[in-house]
Amino acid sequence: MATVTYQGLEVLFTRQQIAARVAEMGAQITRDLNGEKLVMVGVLKGAAPFLSDLARSIQADATFDFVAVSSYGNGQRSSGAVKLIKDLDEPIEGKNVLVVEDILDTGLTLAYLRKLFLQQRPKTLRIATLLDKPSRRIEKIDADYVGFSIPNLFVIGYGMDYAERYRNLPDICIMTPGQPE
Ligand code: IMP
Ligand code: MG
């Protein structure tokens, strides 16, 4: 199948590259679980497509939960403040928790969530992020599972948005500043 190109958007990772990497991540997570149960906690909304694909490549007794936070304004610039908009539905005490995020950028969101979740005393708390922008880090935090490490680019697609748009693009694309919306 030919790769779709979008007007004015450069594809960074194709759906095939994403699928291959997500399958590898799922296999690694399955191995690390050693047959134990898992609670996958997706960070809405961006992580939804990644969680959906990753979950199907993990062979374990897994459940889903979701949180929502606000950390970004309606554009490319972060406001700096993280606020919990939707909490976990179920307690995570004593559970193996995997936080699933689309992109680890400044680290403010995941540092906030990690602190919040650790207060509940899970058995294990790990982080899976599809993308990582280490050069942007403000909070000292690393993910246990990283799909792709990327330079300081603003990306959209496969869950990631610009002002809530483009989340449904099947490929991950680069949003260049000043390009026509
Ligand atoms: P952090 O708190 O700065 O690590 O940012 C985490 C959140 O910012 C991610 O979950 C995304 O929603 C958003 N974000 C960071 N970089 C990008 C990007 O390049 N494209 C789209 N969203 C991004
Ligand atoms: Mg997000």
Side-chain angles (χ1 to χ4, degrees):
M1 190 173 61
T3 302
V4 180
T5 51
Y6 310 94
Q7 193 150 28
L9 294 176
E10 187 190 330
V11 175
L12 183 63
F13 298 112
T14 64
R15 63 201 75 179
Q16 293 85 355
Q17 289 172 309
I18 298 166
R21 186 67 189 118
V22 171
E24 286 174 357
M25 295 175 82
Q28 183 64 54
I29 292 164
T30 302
R31 281 194 291 276
D32 293 349
L33 271 172
N34 248 318
E36 293 194 21
K37 291 185 189 178
L38 181 67
V39 182
M40 300 181 71
V41 177
V43 185
L44 294 172
K45 307 167 198 165
F50 175 45
L51 182 138
S52 160
D53 287 341
L54 184 65
R56 285 175 287 177
S57 67
I58 293 174
Q59 285 166 33
D61 183 343
T63 57
F64 295 173
D65 206 336
F66 293 93
V67 291
V69 293
S70 70
S71 61
Y72 264 62
N74 218 20
Q76 294 192 12
R77 202 153 7 104
S78 172
S79 67
V82 182
K83 201 172 81 182
L84 193 70
I85 292 170
K86 188 219 164 289
D87 205 344
L88 294 166
D89 291 335
E90 299 290 334
I92 53 168
E93 185 174 349
K95 307 258 174 81
N96 293 305
V97 175
L98 181 69
V99 183
V100 181
E101 176 61 303
D102 51 1
I103 180 160
L104 176 50
D105 186 32
T106 63
L108 289 164
T109 305
L110 281 173
Y112 170 85
L113 289 176
R114 181 177 59 180
K115 192 174 164 205
L116 193 75
F117 294 161
L118 282 175
Q119 287 168 0
Q120 286 201 36
R121 303 188 168 279
K123 181 177 181 192
T124 60
L125 182 70
R126 295 199 177 104
I127 295 171
T129 187
L130 181 62
L131 301 180
D132 186 10
K133 288 197 258 187
S135 69
R136 292 258 308 158
R137 209 72 94 245
I138 293 172
E139 288 280 347
K140 194 180 164 344
I141 184 160
D142 289 316
D144 301 273
Y145 308 97
V146 175
F148 304 99
S149 194
I150 64 167
N152 184 14
L153 300 166
F154 197 85
V155 292
I156 51 175
Y158 196 71
M160 287 166 289
D161 72 308
Y162 174 72
E164 294 299 327
R165 295 174 59 208
Y166 307 107
R167 293 193 194 273
N168 62 321
L169 297 184
D171 307 295
I172 295 174
C173 299
I174 300 169
M175 181 103 194
T176 353
Q179 80 184 21
E181 290 170 30

